Amino acid sequence: MVAMERRDPEQDERLRSEIWEALYDFFMAEHERNLEAVAELGVSPGDLKALMRLAPGRGEPMRALADMWRCDASTVTWIVDRLQKQGYVERRPHPTDRRVKVVALSAEGEELRERMLRRLYRPPAVLSELSPGELAALHRVAARLAPPADQ
Amino acid sequence: MVAMERRDPEQDERLRSEIWEALYDFFMAEHERNLEAVAELGVSPGDLKALMRLAPGRGEPMRALADMWRCDASTVTWIVDRLQKQGYVERRPHPTDRRVKVVALSAEGEELRERMLRRLYRPPAVLSELSPGELAALHRVAARLAPPADQ
DNA sequence: TCATAATGTTGGATATATCAAAGTATCTGT
DNA sequence: ACAGATACTTTGATATATCCAACATTATGA
């Protein structure tokens, strides 16, 4: 409809807004459905967030979790307590500093995390309806949006 | 790299998953930043959800809100009480049914809602870095993902 | 009209989430 | 060695969010 070489900044801005609104609405709706689905597995939004942010096979000191989650140390105690009672994480001693407790996913925790990820990352049906060209374009965009893999 | 006419279903599936994971991560990160931003304005996630779901200029009976939000009637009472104390919504009588209370955004509520929307829908910086071609492709995809406007 | 249903509120219970203050154990630098 | 910092926990307070049961008010249908 519009000449491709046109670069009106104001119009570009409107286009970006229109795109972002549509995508945002779509993602929020998907996310809400996902939260309901994981809730049915007895996983609270807080549990989910914590589970997602614990790298499998690698433990983190409580202190590091408080920094990562930007909350109080005692909040971490509370959250980890709950996850531990459910058997999803373990507190392990730090090899050199006996003050530190290293929190790591248990086998059950890793399994649950996997299941959650499969649910969250399940591509919505509409994605299957896109043409190969659209899919390729979206792929390039997604690659651009993805945060630069930290080192 | 790969011939365009190739349609390996398994490979398509992997491509869709890859795209969705990247997009999902990106949106969740954005959303979290947004929640922090609105929290600084004294708006809880629940307030935000309620505010976003109240169409400006149109009131809804409490009962309708309970159905829309899929929660107990007394939960709606609680949420609306809080929003009303903050001055963002009003309870109005129903024109014909005196049992019903119609909840509508106040002027302040509409204003707050507008501010929230501007924040949520603010396109992220990366979007400005996309090429016109990428932006156009994303636009088509966004139009496809957008839920069919009801009726 | 009169039993029944629906709307919304109140009160009580519980879960989730957060912080601040105070305490215990351990570490570190001088 | 010891004073001060750091890591974590406990306790107590508060906010958010939800449900259920009981209730008052109002509508509806037989």
Side-chain angles (χ1 to χ4, degrees), chain A residues 96-150:
Chain A
T96 65
D97 189 335
R98 284 187 299 167
R99 290 171 306 179
V100 174
K101 292 177 186 165
V102 176
V103 180
L105 289 169
S106 67
E108 294 83 14
E110 293 202 4
E111 197 188 313
L112 178 63
R113 183 177 186 274
E114 256 316 300
R115 247 187 306 157
M116 300 291 97
L117 278 181
R118 273 199 299 276
R119 179 61 174 86
L120 297 190
Y121 285 163
R122 198 169 68 195
V126 243
L127 226 57
S128 304
E129 296 165 11
L130 298 182
S131 74
E134 286 173 324
L135 212 55
L138 194 56
H139 187 203
R140 283 195 305 276
V141 171
R144 275 270 189 94
L145 295 186
D150 55 357

Side-chain angles (χ1 to χ4, degrees), chain B residues 86-119:
Chain B
Q86 297 176 280
Y88 297 137
V89 302
E90 295 164 0
R91 278 173 165 97
R92 298 171 189 159
H94 189 276
T96 64
D97 190 334
R98 283 189 298 165
R99 290 172 305 179
V100 173
K101 290 175 189 168
V102 176
V103 180
L105 289 170
S106 66
E108 294 83 13
E110 293 202 4
E111 198 188 312
L112 179 64
R113 183 178 188 274
E114 257 315 302
R115 246 186 308 154
M116 301 289 98
L117 278 181
R118 272 200 299 276
R119 179 63 174 87

Side-chain angles (χ1 to χ4, degrees), chain A residues 24-25 31-32 53 121, chain B residues 24-25 31-32 34 53 121:
Chain A
Y24 203 94
D25 284 346
H31 185 55
E32 210 150 308
R53 286 176 173 190
Y121 285 163
Chain B
Y24 203 94
D25 284 345
H31 185 55
E32 209 151 309
N34 285 339
R53 286 177 174 189
Y121 285 163

Side-chain angles (χ1 to χ4, degrees), chain A residues 14-15 22 30 36 40 42 47 64 71-72 87 93 101 116 125 128 147:
Chain A
R14 275 199 301 279
L15 180 58
E30 275 298 309
E36 282 167 22
E40 280 171 20
D47 290 342
C71 65
D72 196 86
K101 292 177 186 165
M116 300 291 97
S128 304

Side-chain angles (χ1 to χ4, degrees), chain A residues 55-101:
Chain A
R58 192 167 58 105
E60 297 280 359
M62 303 283 284
R63 179 69 252 162
L65 295 180
D67 293 339
M68 189 191 308
W69 299 343
R70 275 185 281 182
C71 65
D72 196 86
S74 58
T75 302
V76 175
T77 295
W78 184 84
I79 293 174
V80 170
D81 274 357
R82 262 189 43 248
L83 290 173
Q84 191 170 28
K85 265 179 218 135
Q86 297 175 280
Y88 297 137
V89 302
E90 295 165 1
R91 279 173 165 97
R92 297 171 189 159
H94 189 276
T96 65
D97 189 335
R98 284 187 299 167
R99 290 171 306 179
V100 174
K101 292 177 186 165

